[in-house]
Amino acid sequence: MKNIRRSLIAGNWKMHRTSSEAVDLATEINHLIGQETDVHVVLCPPFTALESVARLVSDSNIMLGAQNMHPQPEGAFTGEISALMLRQLFCSFVILGHSERRQYFHESDAFINEKVLAALKSSLKPIVCVGETLEEREAGDTGKVVKRQIQEGLNGVSKQTSEHLVIAYEPVWAIGTGKTATPEMAQEVHGQIRELLAQQFGNSAASRIRILYGGSMKPGNAADLLEQPDIDGGLIGGASLQARSFVELVEIAREKS
Ligand code: PEP
């Protein structure tokens, strides 16, 4: 079942790298990766580096993603970026609902849902992040939290467009902390997410949607995670800022796919 879904490794560079530094990092990744075709590789630099990195990877199989967008097509939203603006910079993906956006910018499930619908309408593939905090896990609420985030975040998405969705399960307590969910813990939630997707879109559509794991994934722990039946790749923060570790993750994903 897993091999109907191409593995995907996405690097979330967050607010790291100026545009010239981003070009250096992307150049190194591009050089080490060569013509990768088995694994989908996505780089998500800051907005300010999208154009220069787009030029650099235009002849490669590396794809580009943004880290956020506004749901409106245009308007008086100072500091915001629209889906169309991202499309014109050759973005194919956009990370939405990252826990840092939820936590520091108070993004609600309803707002994230508006963004998901707007991204799909503009042919951008949303990487929709969900995941529980440590308190929520300790209270036994992981399933409830993820269910709410999936159901509200994907409200109104049609079965036809669902294949363009990517979900990232990122337990908040594992992001940037060095703590990783065990492969069994992660698989349990990934399985629940696939079940929720099946309830909304049907089994066949759900079996095509990629569910990534994110949270301190690195070369040392990736193989066991990527071996799980419902883990289809990774959303990588820290380890995506070093070309070698990022490319090693791509190689591990290729072996496990
Ligand atoms: C992330 O921010 O999406 C992430 C998974 O970060 P890290 O790999 O650093 O935990």
Side-chain angles (χ1 to χ4, degrees):
M1 203 43 140
K2 194 170 178 179
N3 55 16
I4 66 166
R5 301 183 294 272
R6 179 94 58 99
S7 296
L8 192 160
I9 297 289
N12 173 14
W13 294 1
K14 311 194 187 195
M15 198 172 71
H16 294 290
R17 303 295 188 260
T18 62
S19 77
S20 59
E21 289 166 348
V23 165
D24 291 346
L25 179 55
T27 304
E28 210 183 333
I29 290 172
N30 199 7
H31 172 73
L32 289 171
I33 279 190
Q35 289 297 318
E36 174 62 56
T37 52
D38 293 342
V39 176
H40 278 161
V41 178
V42 181
L43 301 182
C44 304
F47 290 135
T48 47
L50 284 173
E51 189 163 11
S52 47
V53 174
R55 248 186 253 122
L56 206 143
V57 298
S58 63
D59 287 337
S60 76
N61 292 322
I62 295 175
M63 293 176 285
L64 202 59
Q67 298 174 20
N68 184 31
M69 58 169 248
H70 194 276
Q72 292 300 319
E74 62 179 350
F77 300 103
T78 302
E80 292 293 326
I81 305 265
S82 74
L84 182 63
M85 292 169 184
L86 297 178
R87 289 290 299 154
Q88 284 215 352
L89 292 179
F90 307 101
C91 281
S92 320
F93 291 83
V94 59
I95 299 172
L96 296 177
H98 191 280
S99 64
E100 289 152 13
R101 304 270 345 151
R102 293 177 188 263
Q103 186 184 351
Y104 304 131
F105 301 96
H106 313 294
E107 290 195 5
S108 66
D109 289 311
F111 190 49
I112 292 160
N113 178 238
E114 284 183 48
K115 298 185 190 206
V116 170
L117 296 175
L120 288 169
K121 202 169 157 195
S122 298
S123 304
L124 274 175
K125 296 183 175 73
I127 301 177
V128 185
C129 302
V130 298
E132 80 288 0
T133 62
L134 185 59
E135 298 73 54
E136 288 163 341
R137 174 160 282 270
E138 284 174 351
D141 286 341
T142 300
K144 196 171 87 185
V145 168
V146 168
K147 183 175 180 184
R148 190 203 70 229
Q149 292 172 332
I150 290 283
Q151 290 183 337
E152 295 185 17
L154 304 185
N155 189 22
V157 174
S158 68
K159 185 175 174 171
Q160 285 70 25
T161 52
S162 66
E163 67 178 296
H164 301 302
L165 289 170
V166 178
I167 309 295
Y169 169 57
E170 300 206 304
V172 180
W173 48 269
I175 296 179
T177 57
K179 291 184 195 144
T180 328
T182 64
E184 295 71 26
M185 279 158 87
Q187 168 55 34
E188 190 185 354
V189 183
H190 280 236
Q192 286 166 3
I193 292 172
R194 193 156 326 270
E195 187 50 46
L196 290 165
L197 296 172
Q199 283 167 18
Q200 183 168 350
F201 305 116
N203 283 329
S204 158
S207 69
R208 289 173 200 286
I209 300 173
R210 287 168 298 183
I211 309 175
L212 314 182
Y213 171 79
S216 299
M217 191 190 264
K218 40 189 181 287
N221 58 28
D224 291 343
L225 287 159
L226 293 171
E227 211 158 60
Q228 302 300 313
D230 288 295
I231 301 186
D232 307 312
L235 180 55
I236 318 297
S240 72
L241 292 169
Q242 303 298 328
R244 285 211 170 270
S245 57
F246 184 69
V247 173
E248 247 185 89
L249 287 167
V250 173
E251 281 161 4
I252 294 167
R254 187 194 304 125
E255 279 162 27
K256 296 292 166 191
S257 60

